[in-house]
Amino acid sequence: MPNDASLRITPQPVRRQVEERLREAIISGRFMPGDHLSDRLLCDLFGVSRGVIREAVRLLEAEGLIDVVPNRGPFVAYLSPAEASQVYEVRAVLEALAGQGFAERASEDEIAELRAVFEEIAAARPGLDRVALLGLKRRFYDVLLRGCRNAYVARMLDQVLNRNTQLRATTLSDPERLPRTVTEIRRIVEAIERRDAEGTWQACRDHVAQAARVALRILNQQASEKAEAARGRLPAPAAD
């Protein structure tokens, strides 16, 4: 379990800060799927009251990041392969809309800003800290969502990306994924720089499809390994 003093909360608005810090701790992998988020743990970690913690947990449960199990409490949510596939389907459409809108409506300064963040991603090496790399991807999407000039797409995609960050962390375990990600995002940026809305739409769809392929392969493998382990723990059937 994490024990990071940087997560502790300073004054107002406390509930909002706890919500943001807890979300960050989950999507960055400080808390992993299945971890128990007890009141005592979170109160000690963030230095706030139980009521504030429970309100933040309720909000993140609504986002799908936390599961509250009756009589056991909150846990970091798992994503099954079937759930992950649905998340990627939604993300693909929303991200394509955001990319298309950005190509059509972003300012030249925003396009330059997007290019600058991409260059930082392209310069990253496979050994880069996972949290740092996810932070770069988050900055890329922050610019994309701002420049697409569609508040509804931005709001919905932002929520999907929060859920999807756990999956992005999963794909980073594939050593071949980072260079392919760079190639895919370069295609998006270059289409935007040409103001090619249709090309940006397709590049975004293709990027999400490739990410989904890697994540689902890993998740299916993990699910298979868990099933095998569970079968290994079952008692042998009684002899006739």
Side-chain angles (χ1 to χ4, degrees):
M1 291 293 183
N3 185 18
D4 190 342
S6 68
L7 293 174
R8 295 186 71 84
I9 297 304
T10 53
Q12 300 295 326
V14 174
R15 194 275 305 160
R16 178 66 176 172
Q17 290 187 63
V18 171
E19 175 196 341
E20 291 176 351
R21 300 286 180 83
L22 181 54
R23 181 187 293 109
E24 178 184 338
I26 292 171
I27 66 179
S28 69
R30 291 174 186 256
F31 289 120
M32 298 299 292
D35 281 352
H36 185 206
L37 304 175
S38 69
D39 286 352
R40 175 176 294 181
L41 169 70
L42 298 181
C43 288
D44 289 346
L45 186 62
F46 294 116
V48 297
S49 70
R50 182 171 296 181
V52 171
I53 291 297
R54 290 185 174 178
E55 177 65 11
V57 165
R58 184 186 66 79
L59 291 167
L60 296 188
E61 181 186 17
E63 292 183 13
L65 291 175
I66 290 176
D67 287 331
V68 177
V69 181
N71 303 317
R72 296 186 62 199
F75 293 79
V76 179
Y78 281 103
L79 264 179
S80 69
E83 291 170 324
S85 179
Q86 294 173 31
V87 169
Y88 276 112
E89 284 182 11
V90 175
R91 178 187 160 193
V93 175
L94 292 172
E95 190 162 321
L97 283 170
Q100 180 185 51
F102 194 96
E104 293 173 339
R105 296 186 285 271
S107 69
E108 292 300 321
D109 285 345
E110 286 168 330
I111 292 175
E113 185 180 1
L114 194 73
R115 162 63 76 169
V117 178
F118 163 70
E119 294 296 346
E120 290 189 58
I121 296 171
R125 294 294 175 262
L128 181 67
D129 176 72
R130 181 179 65 177
V131 174
L133 185 54
L134 289 173
L136 286 174
K137 290 290 296 286
R138 180 72 256 184
R139 284 172 53 201
F140 182 88
Y141 283 108
D142 285 346
V143 179
L144 190 74
L145 295 181
R146 176 172 16 103
C148 78
R149 303 288 190 275
N150 186 322
Y152 293 97
V153 168
R155 188 178 306 119
M156 288 186 287
L157 181 55
D158 187 59
Q159 184 169 338
V160 170
L161 288 172
N162 284 337
R163 193 73 176 99
N164 195 232
T165 299
Q166 289 176 295
L167 295 170
R168 294 211 300 270
T170 297
T171 63
L172 290 178
S173 63
D174 183 336
E176 298 181 356
R177 182 58 194 150
L178 179 57
R180 291 176 179 173
T181 294
V182 170
T183 298
E184 292 158 17
I185 297 178
R186 177 180 285 109
R187 184 180 162 209
I188 294 170
V189 172
E190 290 177 350
I192 285 170
E193 290 173 334
R194 296 192 305 270
R195 297 288 187 178
D196 179 358
E198 184 177 345
T200 304
W201 168 282
Q202 191 59 53
C204 288
R205 291 295 299 260
D206 291 345
H207 171 54
V208 176
Q210 292 303 314
R213 181 185 60 80
V214 174
L216 292 174
R217 173 174 56 78
I218 294 171
L219 289 175
N220 280 311
Q221 181 180 342
Q222 291 173 345
S224 176
E225 291 171 354
K226 287 179 182 177
E228 288 291 333
R231 281 194 289 270
R233 290 195 297 268
L234 291 175
D240 291 334

